[in-house]
Amino acid sequence: MQHNGWDHALKVTGDGAGLVGHAGAILLRKAADQAGLTAGLSAALRRAGKSPLFDRGAALVSMAVAVALGATSMSDIAVLAHLSPVLGAAPSGPTIRRTLDLAGTPAVLERIARARAKARAHVWKLIEGTPAGFPWLVIAGKALTGWLVIDMDATLVTARSDKEGAAPTWKKGYGFHPLGAWAANTRECLAMVLRPGNAGSNTFADHREVLAAAVRQVPARFRKKIIVRVDGAGASHELIRHLLSMSSPRRILLFTCGWMITAADEDAIRQVPADAWKPGIGQDGQVEEDKHAAEITDLMSRAGNWPDGLRWIVRRVKPSRRQMRNLTAYEKKTGWRYSITCTNIPDAGISGVPGSHHPQYIDVVHREHAVVETDGVRTAKAMGLRNLPSKTWQVNKGWVIAANIAADLTAWTRLLGFHDRADLKEAEPDTLRYRIWHLPARLARHARQRVLKISADWPWKKAFLTCWQRLCAMPAPA
């Protein structure tokens, strides 16, 4: 039976003219320009006495756009050469390398951070003005209006060749162990530090550095109410003391941390009265009868070793078959798997969120931290962090910045251009590439104008055109 009739009388040539692939790149570049990020990066990367042929800020933005499109190496910048009739000349591979090498130096990193923060403040103000408004999180059916949520997490990046700074990892691999902080509200990567593969999971100095950089990225008016979430691997005495010290008369900082359970903690769990266990709550706000939560603050014998103002919430669930082999003797005896969350959410709860003082709600707030594995880490790896392309440490630091900027541009385009499209405003990188970024087009010239034409029957044509018009209408930053 023949299945190849579709290619009858089909001829393929390589002499097409006026064609533009990956036309969605113009949306990302437009977002960078309109937000003032391109100009800000140009100033940050400027060197006294140097006049490069290609603007370094535009080169860094171009690399970030290429990363958002799917680039995995510096040489992939060549894809933007296909867009040169629209975007202008694309930087070469050597230019990108020099730009990333410069961007990885400490002084320039600080200037880049200031440029990103300034552009972010402008964009967030515009996002507030959209019909959808700023994306405040909704947890267990309750909106955390006015609260910015920052998730911290580390991830492993495999190095498949010998690279500067690469080292054996705790998972018996080889590569790097970057630590990042993401704005859960917008899915932007606020800050990230590149670390060797053998860097510790709970290194306080790294957490303090990343958290401080992340808070500096947050516009001033959003810093008044912050919730920080860290998993158990990152928790330490020093970090919890630091988090407690970050609150002030001008800022409320609440946090939830995972907790490594010891035999003493199991003794506290053993003392929980049967009627103190309350049914858990799912992310949708529905009661989960097969899961329970309780507060054990007054039962914790280790509480005296920790600062005042802390609460401990325990959760129990029936273990899966895969989890059975990792249970403690006490868990095997009771038939439950336990986890503990440490928090400074007071007995009065989260301001403006009724019922948020209950152990069940605090438990679901912390469990929502798991989204950083998808919206944060997985998105980061889908945009440049699956592999670090250079053999040198400094260039790879510049690459991390380019990947972070790619996440920014993607988030800004989603929230400003697709805020009324349910299928795109929360879309992940692969979905956006398939539907928007990789859209083919034809460039025509008419009446001294360039006209970029996309297919009339493309399913997301209207979304693309609406996004372009909205980005063009963005007011320039003051």
Side-chain angles (χ1 to χ4, degrees), residues 186-266:
T186 61
R187 285 169 36 195
E188 294 165 85
C189 186
L190 299 175
M192 182 173 288
V193 60
L194 181 61
R195 306 187 299 169
N198 56 4
S201 296
N202 61 351
T203 307
F204 166 63
D206 294 339
H207 279 78
R208 179 178 58 187
E209 176 187 348
V210 172
L211 181 57
V215 172
R216 286 197 298 270
Q217 285 294 309
V218 176
R221 63 185 181 281
F222 289 88
R223 297 180 193 172
K224 297 177 181 179
K225 296 180 180 180
I226 296 178
I227 297 176
V228 176
R229 300 186 295 199
V230 188
D231 61 18
S236 65
H237 275 80
E238 294 88 349
L239 179 61
I240 288 180
R241 289 195 189 95
H242 180 65
L243 290 169
L244 287 169
S245 71
M246 291 182 70
S247 289
S248 69
R250 294 187 177 184
R251 176 173 65 201
I252 301 174
L253 190 141
L254 303 178
F255 65 84
T256 64
C257 280
W259 186 262
M260 188 67 68
I261 298 180
T262 66
D265 302 325
E266 289 185 339

Side-chain angles (χ1 to χ4, degrees), residues 261-274 277 294 296 299-300 314-319 323-340:
I261 298 180
T262 66
D265 302 325
E266 289 185 339
D267 288 338
I269 297 172
R270 191 178 289 110
Q271 299 175 52
V272 177
W277 291 103
I296 56 172
L299 304 175
M300 291 281 289
V314 61
R315 171 183 171 84
R316 69 180 187 183
V317 300
K318 289 296 183 180
Q323 295 168 336
M324 290 296 293
R325 57 185 176 184
N326 295 322
L327 300 181
T328 66
Y330 176 67
E331 289 175 325
K332 291 178 181 177
K333 180 179 178 181
T334 62
W336 295 97
R337 181 171 178 264
Y338 300 96
S339 59
I340 294 178

Side-chain angles (χ1 to χ4, degrees), residues 151-155 177-182 191-192 195 207 210 229-231 233-234 369-370 372-374 376-377:
D151 285 314
M152 301 187 69
D153 199 18
T155 186
H177 195 190
L179 174 66
W182 286 265
M192 182 173 288
R195 306 187 299 169
H207 279 78
V210 172
R229 300 186 295 199
V230 188
D231 61 18
H369 169 69
V372 75
E373 293 289 345
T374 54
V377 171

Side-chain angles (χ1 to χ4, degrees), residues 133-173:
F134 192 80
W136 305 114
L137 292 190
V138 176
I139 297 180
K142 299 179 180 181
L144 273 66
T145 304
W147 289 90
L148 184 75
V149 180
I150 298 177
D151 285 314
M152 301 187 69
D153 199 18
T155 186
L156 297 176
V157 178
T158 300
R160 293 173 177 79
S161 61
D162 194 19
K163 297 178 180 180
E164 184 181 358
T169 69
W170 62 276
K171 281 192 174 181
K172 299 181 180 180

Side-chain angles (χ1 to χ4, degrees), residues 25 41 48 63 69 96 109 128 198 201 211 233 270 272 275 277 295 332 336 342 350 370 378 382 396 410 414 425:
L41 292 177
M63 190 69 253
L69 294 178
I96 288 296
L109 281 173
E128 282 185 290
N198 56 4
S201 296
L211 181 57
R270 191 178 289 110
V272 177
D275 59 355
W277 291 103
E295 183 166 357
K332 291 178 181 177
W336 295 97
C342 176
I350 302 171
R378 191 170 71 186
N396 282 333
T410 301
R414 284 190 298 101
K425 69 177 182 180

Side-chain angles (χ1 to χ4, degrees), residues 24 64 73 180 280 289 426-427:
S73 68
E289 296 291 349
E426 298 293 340

